[in-house]
């Protein structure tokens, strides 16, 4: 019986592995920035950021309501219900369409104006802190 290490497959594997390892480059990136912040300041920064994210997604509800009201007006045959006439129901839904249209427009404008990102949050956390590198300390 022949030894397993003398098989052609093992010789190919060893040859391939040694060629691959010789051509491999290793890149190290260990530069780090450490941010030290108090809990109350971090909480304030996170609250502001959550508020901005909420504004950025605040257009979903009014646009959904607008779509529902427009669909109701287009597909419904209003009738007298709860003692309210057909024309009054139509007027109520048209007013609701107008209100949700204005609300949608304002929410979309707020969402467009609010272009905050995670980088903005990190910059807010770092803002007005002391920066130190090595043993030198300076205010930024």
């Amino acid at each position: 019986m022949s030894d397993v290490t003398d098989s052609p497959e093992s010789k190919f594997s060893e040859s391939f592995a040694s060629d691959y390892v010789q051509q491999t480059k290793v890149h190290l990136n260990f530069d780090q920035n450490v941010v030290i912040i108090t809990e109350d300041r971090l909480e304030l920064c996170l609250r502001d950021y959550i508020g901005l994210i909420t504004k950025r997604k605040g257009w979903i509800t009014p646009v959904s309501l607008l779509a529902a009201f427009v669909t109701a007006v287009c597909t419904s045959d209003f009738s007298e219900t709860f003692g309210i006439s057909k024309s009054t129901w139509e007027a109520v839904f048209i007013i609701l369409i107008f209100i949700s249209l204005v609300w949608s427009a304002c929410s979309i404008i707020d969402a467009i104006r609010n272009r905050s990102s995670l980088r903005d949050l990190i910059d807010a956390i770092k803002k007005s802190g002391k920066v130190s590198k090595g043993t030198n300390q300076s205010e930024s």
Side-chain angles (χ1 to χ4, degrees):
M1 242 195 212
S2 67
D3 194 319
V4 176
T5 59
D6 292 336
S7 71
E9 292 86 12
S10 65
K11 289 181 182 178
F12 174 76
S13 296
E14 289 175 16
S15 173
F16 178 75
S18 66
D19 288 344
Y20 184 73
V21 169
Q22 289 175 357
Q23 295 180 11
T24 301
K25 293 181 182 178
V26 177
H27 299 276
L28 301 176
N29 184 359
F30 290 116
D31 292 340
Q32 294 278 329
N33 290 329
V34 177
V35 179
I36 300 174
I37 186 171
T38 60
E39 183 177 347
D40 59 336
R41 180 169 158 79
L42 178 62
E43 184 176 345
L44 289 173
C45 290
L46 292 175
R47 281 186 185 181
D48 291 343
Y49 187 70
I50 289 172
L52 294 174
I53 289 175
T54 304
K55 280 186 179 181
R56 194 165 67 191
K57 294 183 179 184
W59 62 271
I60 297 171
T61 301
V63 170
S64 300
L65 287 173
L66 177 63
F69 294 142
V70 168
T71 302
V73 168
C74 292
T75 60
S76 297
D77 185 23
F78 294 101
S79 60
E80 186 173 330
T81 310
F82 302 120
I84 301 173
S85 69
K86 172 184 174 177
S87 59
T88 305
W89 279 115
E90 289 176 358
V92 166
F93 272 85
I94 290 172
I95 290 170
L96 289 173
I97 287 172
F98 178 73
I99 290 171
S100 61
L101 182 67
V102 171
W103 185 19
S104 296
C106 292
S107 298
I108 290 170
I109 290 170
D110 278 347
I112 291 171
R113 286 183 182 166
N114 179 18
R115 296 272 183 203
S116 63
S117 66
L118 188 58
R119 174 55 47 196
D120 296 332
L121 173 62
I122 293 170
D123 291 342
I125 291 172
K126 288 180 177 180
K127 190 168 70 174
S128 73
K130 288 185 178 180
V131 176
S132 67
K133 188 166 186 161
T135 57
N136 299 334
Q137 287 189 349
S138 62
E139 295 220 9
S140 61

